[in-house]
Amino acid sequence: MSKKFMRNIGIMAHIDAGKTTTTERILYYSGKSHRIGEVDDGEAVMDWMEQEQNRGITITSAATTCIWKDTQINIIDTPGHVDFTAEVERSLRVLDGAVAVFCAVGGVEPQSETVWRQADSYKIPRIIFINKMDRLGADFFAVVKEVKQKLKTPAVPLYLPIGKESEFEAIIDLINLKRIDFIPDSYGSVMEFSEIPEAYREMSIEWRDKLIDELSAVSDEITELYLEGKDIPGNLLHEAVRNATLQRKICPVFVGASLKNIGVQPLIDGIVGYLPAPDEVPPLIGRHVKKDEDVQVYCEDDATPLGLIFKIYHDKEAGPLCFFRMYSGTVKKGEAVFNVNKRKRERIHRLFKMHSNKNEAVPSLSAGDIGVAVGFKFAQTGDTISSEGVQILLEQMHFPEPVISVAIEPKSTTDQDKLKKSLEMLKREDPTFTYNEDEETGQLIISGMGELHLDVLVTRITQEMNVHAKIGKQQVTYRESISSEAEVQEHFSRVIAGKENNADITLKMEPNPDKQGNLYKSLVPEEKLPREYADAVARGIENAFSGGIQYGYPVYGVIVTLVDAAFDYMSASSFAYEAAASHGFERGCREAGPVLLEPVMTVDVMTPKEYVGDVISQLVSRGGIVESLESKTATEHIHAKAPLEKMFGYSTALRSITQGRGNFAMEFSHFAKKSEGI
């Protein structure tokens, strides 16, 4: 298939904005599904995991393919809950365009902003769909205004709603100045075009003029026709919208109500018409491993094969299913590829295109395609597959650190091996999930991004993977840091198997002013300390970062500098330098005023106006600080910061005081000294 007739898009938004419902309609109208599955009934095609159906939310990024007007659309439906932000990050990394779904009532909600920033960082062209126009409190124009203000985005409506809430009945096409009705008996499949009602005519012309004004910035032809007072043909406006969208100068806005089957077909037209084909996006920058230089990767079928694994899911029968995006070249079933990150050869036993959790076998996948490979033994999320001759490493993905932990203990020795295998499997699938063994208690501690994230992981271990285990109480994952500078000289000397092992180093420890992660650097030249021993010092420091200072929690926000080193070639050894680095780091940090850090969360609460006082007082009682209060049509939006330790069980408490009408999103903000709180 020509690249011109292919789109790789994601559907992204805040939880409950209607992403999955919108995707279900796209699949239905494109003929991929023969009936519409509803999230509320637990029958959505894209929410195929048992837990997704039970909870009514999207947890994993489901991938599917459909055809609309001869164009193949590869869709990834991403989760909206902030605990699954890594799933969104992985998906955005491999997309060429995105549809941002906003609720006409909630508008720009906290997770919408997070996802929008992620898409900005990957320079992804977007179109906007304002959904749920049929709900009480829906306000299309308020959401457009909010998008412009909060997301600093030139949102330009191409369609307007006719009516709102229970009276929402049709939409207006501003380019062609027509009313579009979606016939209910056909589930919205049949569209009827008619003249715009007189009551909406003046408003439609006003908004069409605003659209032309925005487009005149990218099209001289439109500017000339407008100034001459001539009619501007629709195809010229479409072309200008496409060019402006690809350059990210505007964000076209569509409107509808997916649940009522209104406005989805124009959205699909927008995906095909305005979002880029794989060969229309700028070339990707990769790192040539052998030449140690950056190279541009173009979307060409006959180039070196190059793909990125953005997701792994373990199937009980087939083993690991590796979802990957091909950026250049072609891979075929049965051939070997090279995993650049692991420096291992992998063989592709089978290739599939996915439709949610069903699949369609294909002989090959070429540049621009998204598919699934079966047979990889070493692959992990974020790995690059290439050819052994031309090893190009694509930019690696960075994920936030887990902040919440729980102890898990197998009930019997037979469950112990099953548990270890399950944890290893989940770690390969999800980079934000980690586990380690507590040296003192021997307990296995698993860590994740939030209460819901951990709850889902634990349920998968105990139910899906059938491991009988006892689960402890959820606990905060603290960090350790230092509050001042210290410099230490460390001499290590030990005789092992009759051979002396000596090392002398001087380390300097200081707090990282950015408070962002750890940093190790060396000021010692190679002629003073050979590279193999310098590497050993670096290894010792890196290992010490995870080992803690006083309490065994990971170290955070520390800069370590190797200031000086002595070297005696008769007794030097890598082991000695690694051990000296580890001991010196621990001693230096103890002298540099060690402190315990706790995770502080950004908390965004949406509540009806009558409960706002109770919600604020409860947040304050949990150690929170309210930073701002934002009034919307039907709700109040409270922005606050609170220590994670005191936010356990908050969802139940919030539901209780708002009679089930309040909801919230919580996201990691920063680490703060425990005694100081925020």
Side-chain angles (χ1 to χ4, degrees):
M1 177 178 280
S2 164
K3 302 288 174 280
K4 181 184 170 187
F5 298 106
M6 188 187 289
R7 300 289 181 273
N8 291 317
I9 64 127
I11 298 188
M12 60 189 209
H14 186 89
I15 191 168
D16 274 348
K19 297 179 310 303
T20 302
T21 306
T22 303
T23 310
E24 293 295 324
R25 296 322 186 260
I26 292 172
L27 296 180
Y28 177 73
Y29 296 133
S30 64
K32 192 73 182 182
S33 297
H34 299 295
R35 60 188 290 272
I36 296 176
E38 300 294 3
V39 176
D40 295 345
D41 302 336
E43 292 183 353
V45 174
M46 298 298 278
D47 285 350
W48 52 272
M49 276 175 70
E50 186 181 342
Q51 285 198 71
E52 293 179 312
Q53 293 165 358
N54 293 343
R55 295 171 191 264
I57 60 168
T58 302
I59 293 168
T60 58
S61 304
T64 190
T65 301
C66 64
I67 305 290
W68 181 258
K69 297 181 179 175
D70 298 327
T71 298
Q72 174 185 310
I73 307 173
N74 297 322
I75 306 171
I76 293 180
D77 176 25
T78 62
H81 198 285
V82 73
D83 281 11
F84 306 104
T85 188
E87 280 282 345
V88 183
E89 182 88 7
R90 283 182 263 176
S91 309
L92 289 174
R93 177 68 184 80
V94 297
L95 299 176
D96 301 322
V99 178
V101 181
F102 293 101
C103 171
V105 183
V108 179
E109 295 179 271
Q111 181 63 0
S112 317
E113 295 185 61
T114 305
V115 174
W116 197 270
R117 286 197 304 271
Q118 288 172 324
D120 276 342
S121 67
Y122 291 124
K123 297 182 171 59
I124 295 172
R126 275 147 278 177
I127 60 178
I128 289 169
F129 181 58
I130 296 177
N131 190 25
K132 301 195 175 185
M133 274 304 298
D134 56 324
R135 275 190 52 195
L136 192 67
D139 190 336
F140 173 79
F141 300 104
V143 178
V144 171
K145 187 179 176 184
E146 209 177 344
V147 168
K148 289 178 179 177
Q149 289 174 346
K150 283 191 175 179
L151 304 178
K152 306 289 184 284
T153 297
V156 180
L158 302 186
Y159 293 85
L160 298 179
I162 292 181
K164 64 178 182 178
E165 300 174 349
S166 59
E167 293 174 6
F168 176 59
E169 56 185 24
I171 63 174
I172 295 167
D173 176 355
L174 290 178
I175 289 180
N176 300 307
L177 284 177
K178 292 284 181 190
R179 170 187 171 127
I180 308 176
D181 283 278
F182 299 81
I183 307 307
D185 293 347
S186 67
Y187 294 105
S189 297
V190 177
M191 295 187 291
E192 280 187 357
F193 298 84
S194 57
E195 293 304 312
I196 297 169
E198 201 58 47
Y200 286 90
R201 191 144 191 89
E202 191 179 326
M203 181 181 74
S204 302
I205 291 168
E206 181 193 333
W207 278 93
R208 191 176 195 266
D209 284 347
K210 287 181 183 178
L211 169 63
I212 290 167
D213 189 42
E214 289 278 359
L215 296 178
S216 62
V218 292
S219 169
D220 293 338
E221 200 175 341
I222 287 176
T223 309
E224 284 171 25
L225 289 171
Y226 185 67
L227 291 173
E228 290 168 12
K230 292 181 180 175
D231 188 45
I232 301 168
N235 62 339
L236 189 61
L237 288 173
H238 281 300
E239 190 183 326
V241 171
R242 178 174 174 77
N243 291 336
T245 306
L246 295 186
Q247 294 168 38
R248 298 191 302 128
K249 287 183 177 173
I250 68 163
C251 217
V253 180
F254 296 75
V255 65
S258 297
L259 200 61
K260 293 283 168 66
N261 307 314
I262 298 175
V264 179
Q265 293 95 317
L267 175 66
I268 315 175
D269 284 334
I271 290 169
V272 171
Y274 305 136
L275 292 178
D279 56 358
E280 289 177 315
V281 294
L284 198 69
I285 305 296
R287 189 83 183 164
H288 198 297
V289 176
K290 291 181 178 175
K291 294 180 182 176
D292 196 27
E293 63 183 24
D294 286 345
V295 292
Q296 291 190 325
V297 178
Y298 292 93
C299 184
E300 295 168 346
D301 291 354
D302 53 359
T304 303
L306 191 64
L308 183 77
I309 297 168
F310 66 94
K311 174 182 169 60
I312 292 178
Y313 183 78
H314 279 79
D315 184 83
K316 286 176 185 172
E317 293 166 13
L321 304 178
C322 295
F323 289 71
F324 70 105
R325 157 82 191 259
M326 284 300 291
Y327 284 99
S328 76
T330 303
V331 291
K332 294 180 180 151
K333 184 179 84 169
E335 73 178 15
V337 292
F338 191 71
N339 184 326
V340 183
N341 300 69
K342 301 289 183 293
R343 307 193 63 74
K344 300 268 189 186
R345 278 189 192 174
E346 301 264 31
R347 187 165 293 280
I348 300 171
H349 295 321
R350 284 178 289 168
L351 282 173
F352 295 107
K353 280 189 179 169
M354 292 299 285
H355 174 51
S356 187
N357 65 331
K358 299 183 181 71
N359 51 53
E360 171 199 342
V362 290
S364 65
L365 287 170
S366 57
D369 268 327
I370 289 178
V372 177
V374 177
F376 290 172
K377 292 178 182 173
F378 309 103
Q380 231 175 337
T381 298
D383 283 357
T384 303
I385 53 171
S386 185
S387 72
E388 201 165 351
V390 185
Q391 295 176 25
I392 295 171
L393 188 66
L394 296 175
E395 172 197 353
Q396 288 182 291
M397 293 178 269
H398 301 287
F399 301 109
E401 295 206 19
V403 292
I404 188 168
S405 304
V406 70
I408 185 164
E409 197 178 298
K411 286 187 176 175
S412 65
T413 47
T414 51
D415 283 310
Q416 193 156 3
D417 288 342
K418 274 171 79 176
L419 178 61
K420 286 269 179 80
K421 279 180 186 169
S422 301
L423 295 177
E424 198 52 49
M425 201 183 288
L426 289 172
K427 193 177 177 181
R428 278 182 71 184
E429 285 183 24
D430 185 351
T432 58
F433 165 72
T434 62
Y435 72 91
N436 64 291
E437 199 165 328
D438 189 305
E439 288 180 13
E440 290 181 15
T441 63
Q443 275 186 317
L444 275 169
I445 308 291
I446 60 174
S447 305
M449 296 302 298
E451 283 186 84
L452 181 62
H453 186 212
L454 264 191
D455 192 24
V456 166
L457 290 166
V458 166
T459 309
R460 285 192 66 193
I461 291 166
T462 54
Q463 292 182 13
E464 191 181 306
M465 296 164 185
N466 206 23
V467 177
H468 302 290
K470 290 184 232 168
I471 314 298
K473 278 178 70 177
Q474 291 187 345
Q475 299 169 328
V476 173
T477 303
Y478 296 103
R479 296 289 185 274
E480 294 188 66
S481 193
I482 56 176
S483 56
S484 60
E485 290 186 11
E487 192 169 300
V488 293
Q489 277 188 302
E490 185 68 31
H491 173 69
F492 181 89
S493 181
R494 190 170 294 177
V495 177
I496 299 174
K499 184 183 181 304
E500 279 192 54
N501 291 265
N502 291 328
D504 276 293
I505 58 172
T506 303
L507 294 174
K508 180 185 174 186
M509 265 64 65
E510 57 190 314
N512 188 342
D514 296 335
K515 294 287 184 221
Q516 293 296 312
N518 303 310
L519 182 65
Y520 168 72
K521 53 189 180 181
S522 172
L523 303 179
V524 181
E526 198 168 327
E527 55 268 20
K528 193 168 184 184
L529 185 68
R531 187 165 179 182
E532 63 175 298
Y533 302 125
D535 289 346
V537 173
R539 274 198 309 276
I541 298 296
E542 288 296 331
N543 292 336
F545 280 147
S546 59
I549 302 167
Q550 291 177 301
Y551 306 104
Y553 293 114
V555 176
Y556 184 85
V558 174
I559 298 174
V560 182
T561 308
L562 178 62
V563 178
D564 198 11
F567 164 66
D568 176 3
Y569 72 92
M570 293 294 288
S571 60
S573 74
S574 295
F575 160 74
Y577 280 96
E578 193 170 332
S582 181
H583 294 168
F585 173 84
E586 191 175 330
R587 189 159 64 86
C589 284
R590 285 177 185 272
E591 290 176 16
V595 290
L596 189 63
L597 305 178
E598 68 175 338
V600 174
M601 313 299 281
T602 298
V603 184
D604 287 278
V605 187
M606 308 286 281
T607 175
K609 291 183 180 348
E610 60 265 35
Y611 304 113
V612 73
D614 292 339
V615 171
I616 288 174
S617 63
Q618 190 186 65
L619 272 172
V620 172
S621 72
R622 287 173 176 260
I625 292 176
V626 175
E627 296 185 322
S628 65
L629 189 63
E630 189 184 334
S631 291
K632 297 198 176 185
T633 315
T635 58
E636 293 287 327
H637 187 171
I638 301 163
H639 299 272
K641 291 263 195 308
L644 175 61
E645 186 179 29
K646 295 184 180 174
M647 292 301 289
F648 286 138
Y650 182 64
S651 55
T652 308
L654 180 66
R655 278 199 300 272
S656 172
I657 60 171
T658 61
Q659 297 183 9
R661 292 165 65 195
N663 63 62
F664 79 106
M666 194 162 65
E667 189 178 2
F668 171 70
S669 170
H670 63 280
F671 284 105
K673 194 173 173 183
K674 191 173 187 318
S675 58
E676 293 173 2
I678 299 163

